[in-house]
Amino acid sequence: MGRPATKSPKSEALTIRLDPKTRFILDYMARFKGQTITTVVERAILAAAASTVISRPDDYGEHNITWQDLWDVSEGVRALEVSKVPELIPTFEEERRLAFVRSHWPFFYTDEKKRIYLNHYIDLLWPRIDEFLQLHEDMKHKDYYAAGNAMLEALKNAKLSTPKWPPEQTPAKSGGNFSRDLDDDLPF
């Protein structure tokens, strides 16, 4: 026999100041709909969010971004998604974290294209992201891979398989010699 479904506990509290008229309206709506005040507020937020769309032109016309495009159960993935949307005015720290994640992509993405997240790694590493970022800043002139090595250790301690680190350098990225014909890049 299956276990009865239980409600997930609320983890966030919101305190707001309302004038007496707005409080009365909120009570009125809750009574009328037979809902709690919390449910009325949550549904009003969802209704407002559904109509909040970021429109961007792309190769195929318009591309719309909504909160659902940015939502993920993983806090780290949500933070990364938000930091990639200029219209949401990411902070310097958010942009800094995103740059770190992109340069340490094997710990956060499935491949160098950086389209699919590795949630199991992110869930483990994200609570310490600022620590890893600071280690990178402090050590990059002595040991550029120090933060990656620390993240490898964190994954090993959690009994997770680890990505290949440091990632292989292609000749073009490492500044080494390469043999392809430079004329291949000319558009004519």
Side-chain angles (χ1 to χ4, degrees), residues 32-150:
F32 180 77
K33 294 185 177 206
Q35 299 172 339
T36 65
I37 289 174
T38 299
T39 302
V40 170
V41 171
E42 287 173 344
R43 291 188 179 169
I45 291 169
L46 283 171
S51 64
T52 304
V53 177
I54 298 170
S55 295
R56 288 190 180 158
D58 63 17
D59 295 339
Y60 306 104
E62 279 295 302
H63 171 73
N64 294 328
I65 299 172
T66 67
W67 71 270
Q68 288 122 331
D69 297 310
L70 307 176
W71 168 254
D72 193 280
V73 294
S74 171
E75 178 186 353
V77 171
R78 287 193 309 268
L80 291 168
E81 285 296 298
V82 167
S83 68
K84 293 191 284 186
V85 181
E87 293 88 347
L88 297 178
I89 311 167
T91 65
F92 171 74
E93 287 303 316
E94 290 169 329
E95 291 174 343
R96 200 169 150 229
R97 287 183 197 111
L98 180 61
F100 173 80
V101 164
R102 286 180 170 161
S103 68
H104 291 78
W105 67 264
F107 296 97
F108 301 95
Y109 298 99
T110 57
D111 61 32
E112 206 168 352
K113 292 180 182 177
K114 303 171 185 98
R115 292 184 185 151
I116 301 171
Y117 292 104
L118 293 168
N119 286 48
H120 58 293
Y121 285 0
I122 293 173
D123 289 342
L124 182 78
L125 299 173
W126 194 258
R128 296 178 56 194
I129 193 69
D130 291 326
E131 172 190 336
F132 296 128
L133 197 152
Q134 190 60 53
L135 177 62
H136 177 68
E137 289 297 314
D138 294 344
M139 296 294 295
K140 67 183 174 186
H141 298 292
K142 296 176 194 169
D143 180 3
Y144 189 83
Y145 300 112
N149 292 334

Side-chain angles (χ1 to χ4, degrees), residues 146-163:
N149 292 334
M151 290 188 289
L152 276 178
E153 194 61 32
L155 295 175
K156 286 178 189 173
N157 290 339
K159 308 282 190 258
L160 289 173
S161 61
T162 58

